[in-house]
Amino acid sequence: RLFDLDPDLLPLFQYNCKQFANPQECLSAPEFLDHIRKVMLVIDAAVSHLENLSCLEEYLCNLGKKHQAVGVKIESFSTVGESLLYMLEKCLGTAFSPEVQEAWSKLYSAVVSAMRHGWDALPEGD
C-alpha cells in the first residue's frame, strides 16, 4: 500500500546501490523486509513506553536526522502512517474500532513528532 499511495518513495529504498524496477521487487527484497522489521520495533518501543514516550525522544530525533540525510521528506511519514493504519485495520478487522484507530493515530503522531525534531535540528538538505 505504501507505494500505491506514494510511488515517489520507491527510489528512497536502495540497497547496495540497487534501484528497484517496481514496487513488488522492493517489497520482496530482504533488505526492505528488514527495514519494515525495524519500523515495527520502533512502534513496539513506543507502545512499550506509552506512559513515558519522552524517554525515546533522543533516539527518535536521531532517527529523524538519519531519514532526512537519505532524502526522506517529513511529509512521507503521513503516507507511512496511513499504510500502518490500513495494515492494522486489515489485521484487526472489526476490532479496529474508531477508538482503536484514534489511539494508533495518536501514538504514530507522537513518534513522528519526536522524529521531526531531527529535521528541526538539521537544515533541509544537509
Side-chain angles (χ1 to χ4, degrees):
R1 178 134 167 107
L2 181 68
F3 299 123
D4 290 340
L5 294 173
D6 190 351
D8 292 335
L9 291 176
L10 186 62
L12 294 175
F13 293 97
Q14 298 179 38
Y15 304 101
N16 302 319
C17 299
K18 178 185 183 207
Q19 288 204 356
F20 296 105
N22 58 60
Q24 278 312 111
E25 190 178 68
C26 180
L27 292 170
S28 62
E31 297 91 350
F32 182 79
L33 296 173
D34 186 52
H35 185 89
I36 296 303
R37 278 189 282 282
K38 289 176 184 175
V39 170
M40 295 314 295
L41 285 172
V42 170
I43 298 297
D44 181 60
V47 169
S48 298
H49 294 87
L50 263 179
E51 300 300 322
N52 185 19
L53 280 175
S54 63
C55 72
L56 298 175
E57 184 79 24
E58 184 178 349
Y59 172 77
L60 293 172
C61 179
N62 287 330
L63 194 57
K65 288 178 189 176
K66 287 180 184 180
H67 279 78
Q68 183 189 33
V70 297
V72 176
K73 303 290 182 216
I74 194 74
E75 299 81 24
S76 298
F77 287 101
S78 293
T79 305
V80 174
E82 190 174 333
S83 296
L84 174 66
L85 291 174
Y86 176 81
M87 183 265 316
L88 288 166
E89 181 179 12
K90 292 298 174 198
C91 291
L92 295 175
T94 58
F96 194 68
S97 66
E99 295 81 14
V100 170
Q101 180 178 358
E102 182 179 349
W104 277 106
S105 292
K106 285 181 179 180
L107 174 74
Y108 184 76
S109 293
V111 168
V112 171
S113 177
M115 289 178 69
R116 181 183 295 270
H117 293 137
W119 269 260
D120 294 342
L122 281 172
E124 186 82 24
D126 280 357

